[in-house]
Amino acid sequence: MVTFYGKTFASRLLIGSALYPSPAIMQDAIRASGSNIVTVSLRRESAGGKTGESFWKLIRELDVAVLPNTAGCRTVREAVTTAKLARELFGTSWIKLEVIADNDTLQPDVVGLVEAATILIKDGFEVFPYCTEDLSVANRLVEAGCKVVMPWAAPIGSAKGIINRDALKLLRERLPDVTLVVDAGIGAPSHAAEALELGYDAVLLNTAIAKAADPVAMAKAFRLGIEAGRTAYEAGLMNARDFASPSTPVVGTPFWHAVS
């Protein structure tokens, strides 16, 4: 079980709703993932016409919590405005906050992110900020009132997995009471399992499932990977060693010698 702003969920996988080959495959993949939370872009919903209405109907049929996001926003003002529109449209104070600084890497504008988070929290929002793995940025977001922080594993859609393991591990150690979600860059179930093995509370992903040859099967694979990672973390992983250690000890073991 994982808790976000006082609400508890069974699944530790948050899943996106974009890029799927068809609406039906999107629904089937989300169901196969076991996810209880689906991210939705306001820009897609507000594109207008019956398409947006039909899409929103499909999401409601899934009986999941909706996490709107400010994807594509480049300024604090744009992100704050988009968040307010999302709250009105989706009827939730939750917002996945993105303020993008660079078009190529989609790296967050961490200065603008903290500013936008501060404004939104004062306005009653419960913010899920997408940030880098920088400890100082995470601390500023927590000081602003964020109870959830979502550092990336790698750039969005890169599928590289965790590229700065030590930084993510440090975040987990220094923020033991904050709900931490690895968001972006996850490309394989093993990447998700690694994040959970580090003690992260959940993983948010989209592209790795939506762009798979079989999104439904991949969604199931990620569900299993996350379950395995969390179970391993709770069981207690052994520490890595520099030297070999025999699985069958020889000290104290009796030896028999043939008598000539």
Side-chain angles (χ1 to χ4, degrees), residues 141-152:
L141 289 167
V142 172
E143 290 169 1
C146 294
K147 295 182 180 179
V148 178
V149 175
M150 304 204 300
W152 67 359

Side-chain angles (χ1 to χ4, degrees), residues 10-12 33-34 192-193 196 220-234:
S11 174
R12 294 178 181 273
S33 75
L196 272 292
K220 181 179 179 181
F222 269 101
R223 175 174 61 79
L224 295 172
I226 287 170
E227 290 174 359
R230 182 63 187 187
T231 301
Y233 172 73
E234 292 176 345

Side-chain angles (χ1 to χ4, degrees), residues 181-203:
V181 180
V182 171
D183 176 16
I186 297 294
S190 57
H191 299 160
E194 182 181 6
L196 272 292
E197 288 170 1
L198 287 175
Y200 275 71
D201 298 285
V203 166

Side-chain angles (χ1 to χ4, degrees), residues 240-257:
R241 298 172 176 175
D242 293 328
F243 301 98
S245 177
S247 57
T248 303
V250 296
V251 176
T253 302
F255 290 88
W256 288 270
H257 299 276

Side-chain angles (χ1 to χ4, degrees), residues 32-48:
S33 75
S35 178
N36 307 127
I37 301 172
V38 174
T39 61
V40 177
S41 170
L42 176 66
R43 290 172 181 267
R44 179 174 182 177
E45 269 301 292
S46 59

Side-chain angles (χ1 to χ4, degrees), residues 162-212:
I162 296 173
I163 58 177
N164 195 342
R165 191 177 190 277
D166 289 341
L168 287 182
K169 185 176 180 181
L170 179 63
L171 276 180
R172 179 70 286 175
E173 292 172 352
R174 297 290 292 274
L175 299 173
D177 300 322
V178 177
T179 300
L180 296 180
V181 180
V182 171
D183 176 16
I186 297 294
S190 57
H191 299 160
E194 182 181 6
L196 272 292
E197 288 170 1
L198 287 175
Y200 275 71
D201 298 285
V203 166
L204 192 158
L205 59 97
N206 187 172
T207 308
I209 291 177
K211 288 295 188 178

